[in-house]
Amino acid sequence: MRKMNGRKGAVVASTAALALVLTACGGSSGEGDEEDAGGTVQITVSGLPDNTKPEERQAFLDDVAAFEDANPGIDVEPTELLWDQQTFSAQLAGGTLPTLMAVPFTELPGLINRQQVKDVTEWVQGNDLFGDVSESVLQTATGPDGNIYGIPLSAYSIGLIIHRDIFEEAGLDPDQPLESWDDVAEAARTITGATGKQGFALPATETYGGWLLSAAVNGFGGDIQRIDGDEVHANLDSEAVQQAMEWVHEMRWEHQVMGTNALPSQNDINNAFAAGDVAMLINGGDAYQPFTVQLGVAPESFGTFPMPQDSDGLGTSGGGRIGIVRPDATDEQVDAVLKWVEFRDYQRYSNEEAAVAWAEARAADGLPVPEVGFPMVGQATWEQFLEWVEPYSNVPLENVQSYLDSASTLQIVPEPTYAGHDMYALLDTVIQAVLSREDADIPALLATAQEQAEAAVQAAQG
């Protein structure tokens, strides 16, 4: 649970300095329907933890109070409302959608297409701090027209998670990244042969299998969706998807390094990894925190490599949250929202006092310092941030260094523009067939999945 004592004082103390670096952007639209007679701009922001997390909730409320003290012309109303695909449109139409809402990366293309999100290009490009956001991260908030439709709040790429203890037990070097899928297969064979433990695992349920396999497909040189002019199509019967699925089949039946469970869930695999029974899996780089904090894996036992690539690999998929602004927000509200995001999510990268306060509070709570994921800002800013928080660092960064370094070399491939979850679910069924039947007809399975996926993609495009 989060402790608040040190954080509140530090946030308040840093407020005055922060106020000096905040820069208002954009002009007035003259609408001002959320501005009272005294000139106070009102905004609502999502993300307030509910009462089951009292300390995190209080930390959020303390941040609101500190922000309002530094910005007397802005009134922030926090809300527990979270992203819900089923209710978003109704909330927008009914006027109950927060001014700022955090949404998953994968949802932004659809919101842009339906014109349900504000274009914030001029605000982001006119702000020095947001201008330093890593280009690959900022790309996740960029639409097909090149405009920016949100502010990234967190980001990670998907990579190869390894259990360093099992690598060493098998005589492998856990500091030597596995660069290709052949490398992964060879390491898995060595591990299972030397230790009897499962060399590699991939989930097959709850759309996790399809999601993670689609990231692997990028490493095989393809994507599960293709764009043809203004049209988007499913691409599940492509050569790269077939190669990835055949690789899984070989791992299961020829190399026998994936166990015998044909319906492994993400939780099954995570628990087996934590117990030291699985050596490798695919997951987001931010998995460091749940594995080491919630599941008890020793930090020195956890490692992450970049996603393996074939010679024509495209990169890997990623994930995270983007803060979007409701489309009918006034210019003054967008100004206020950007200031709030700077205050709560970005000030630690530009202000040493804020960085130290953030690191001190996380270390006191036993949370990773720094967070492991995709660096949100440019290399120079990121290195300065690491220097500020170094006295509180509790992450053996050398064990994930190759993954962190890949932020500047490995392209993040956007998630499917339409019907992504439908395609992930369809790939789940193919994975289940491959894991359960040695004679699985992969081309036929993918052809059936492609037909259903294309229907879903076309329906989503309207």
Side-chain angles (χ1 to χ4, degrees):
M1 299 295 287
R2 191 171 188 164
K3 300 179 179 66
M4 280 304 304
N5 294 341
R7 179 175 175 76
K8 180 177 181 180
V11 168
V12 172
S14 66
T15 297
L18 172 67
L20 297 177
V21 301
L22 294 176
T23 304
C25 306
S28 172
S29 67
E31 298 173 359
D33 57 343
E34 293 298 334
E35 186 174 349
D36 65 22
T40 298
V41 177
Q42 298 176 337
I43 59 172
T44 50
V45 298
S46 69
L48 175 66
D50 62 29
N51 287 318
T52 64
K53 303 171 184 174
E55 295 184 23
E56 290 187 52
R57 181 183 179 89
Q58 189 58 53
F60 196 104
L61 294 173
D62 288 343
D63 278 354
V64 169
F67 177 79
E68 290 180 333
D69 284 346
N71 299 274
I74 299 174
D75 181 16
V76 177
E77 180 181 348
T79 171
E80 297 176 6
L81 197 64
L82 299 175
W83 160 259
D84 184 335
Q85 188 178 32
Q86 303 302 317
T87 60
F88 180 88
S89 294
Q91 291 164 351
L92 180 59
T96 58
L97 191 73
T99 320
L100 173 68
M101 168 70 85
V103 304
F105 281 8
T106 187
E107 303 296 339
L108 188 60
L111 298 179
I112 295 172
N113 186 57
R114 296 189 294 273
Q115 299 181 340
Q116 293 177 321
V117 59
K118 186 88 170 182
D119 182 339
V120 295
T121 305
E122 65 177 289
W123 283 270
V124 173
Q125 291 183 342
N127 182 293
D128 290 342
L129 183 55
F130 291 133
D132 195 38
V133 174
S134 169
E135 183 176 349
S136 58
V137 172
L138 190 59
Q139 188 64 34
T140 62
T142 303
D145 57 1
N147 291 340
I148 300 170
Y149 291 90
I151 308 103
L153 303 177
S154 64
Y156 60 85
S157 65
I158 296 176
L160 185 70
I161 309 297
I162 70 162
H163 200 299
R164 292 174 58 85
D165 293 352
I166 301 178
F167 266 57
E168 291 178 346
E169 183 181 350
L172 298 175
D173 182 358
D175 295 322
Q176 182 61 46
L178 303 176
E179 297 180 350
S180 71
W181 295 106
D182 287 343
D183 291 342
V184 176
E186 183 178 349
R189 288 197 303 269
T190 299
I191 288 166
T192 299
T195 69
K197 296 179 178 177
Q198 191 170 330
F200 178 79
L202 179 70
T205 63
E206 303 167 299
T207 72
Y208 282 109
W211 173 54
L212 296 172
L213 186 82
S214 71
V217 167
N218 302 147
F220 277 95
D223 200 354
I224 66 170
Q225 203 164 84
R226 64 180 174 85
I227 298 175
D228 184 7
D230 294 332
E231 298 180 352
V232 177
H233 297 279
N235 202 30
L236 298 189
D237 57 352
S238 65
E239 182 179 352
V241 177
Q242 181 155 325
Q243 287 177 340
M245 207 63 79
E246 288 174 347
W247 182 85
V248 173
H249 184 273
E250 290 175 2
M251 295 287 276
R252 166 66 181 91
W253 297 103
E254 181 178 340
H255 306 319
Q256 299 190 25
V257 296
M258 295 185 68
T260 58
N261 184 0
L263 295 171
S265 70
Q266 182 82 328
N267 283 338
D268 292 338
I269 291 171
N270 291 349
N271 289 330
F273 182 92
D277 295 329
V278 167
M280 291 185 283
L281 53 91
I282 299 172
N283 210 325
D286 64 340
Y288 178 89
Q289 179 168 322
F291 272 114
T292 59
V293 177
Q294 279 83 41
L295 294 178
V297 175
E300 59 271 17
S301 301
F302 188 94
T304 308
F305 294 153
M307 183 67 86
Q309 301 289 303
D310 270 0
S311 58
D312 58 350
L314 299 180
T316 184
S317 184
R321 296 177 304 123
I322 295 175
I324 64 163
V325 180
R326 53 183 292 166
D328 58 351
T330 67
D331 286 0
E332 290 79 7
Q333 287 178 304
V334 182
D335 286 341
V337 163
L338 271 286
K339 284 185 176 182
W340 166 254
V341 173
E342 271 198 46
F343 179 85
R344 181 156 175 82
D345 298 287
Y346 278 88
Q347 65 166 318
R348 59 180 176 271
Y349 301 118
S350 64
N351 181 293
E352 181 176 1
E353 187 177 3
V356 170
W358 174 85
E360 187 177 26
R362 285 185 65 85
D365 282 346
L367 298 175
V369 177
E371 292 177 292
V372 177
F374 227 59
M376 296 291 292
V377 291
Q379 188 66 25
T381 303
W382 176 249
E383 289 178 357
Q384 176 65 81
F385 167 72
L386 291 181
E387 183 177 323
W388 287 339
V389 303
E390 197 280 333
Y392 304 93
S393 178
N394 54 18
V395 176
L397 288 176
E398 64 275 14
N399 295 345
V400 296
Q401 194 60 53
S402 62
Y403 166 80
L404 296 175
D405 291 344
S406 73
S408 60
T409 59
L410 205 59
Q411 182 71 32
I412 292 184
V413 179
E415 290 201 59
T417 305
Y418 299 104
H421 291 291
D422 295 307
M423 289 197 290
Y424 297 152
L426 288 165
L427 284 174
D428 267 4
T429 64
V430 180
I431 295 170
Q432 291 165 16
V434 167
L435 294 182
S436 61
R437 302 201 312 267
E438 187 173 6
D439 62 350
D441 186 341
I442 293 175
L445 290 165
L446 290 177
T448 300
Q450 165 68 15
E451 183 177 352
Q452 297 175 44
E454 179 66 11
V457 170
Q458 297 310 315
Q461 292 181 78

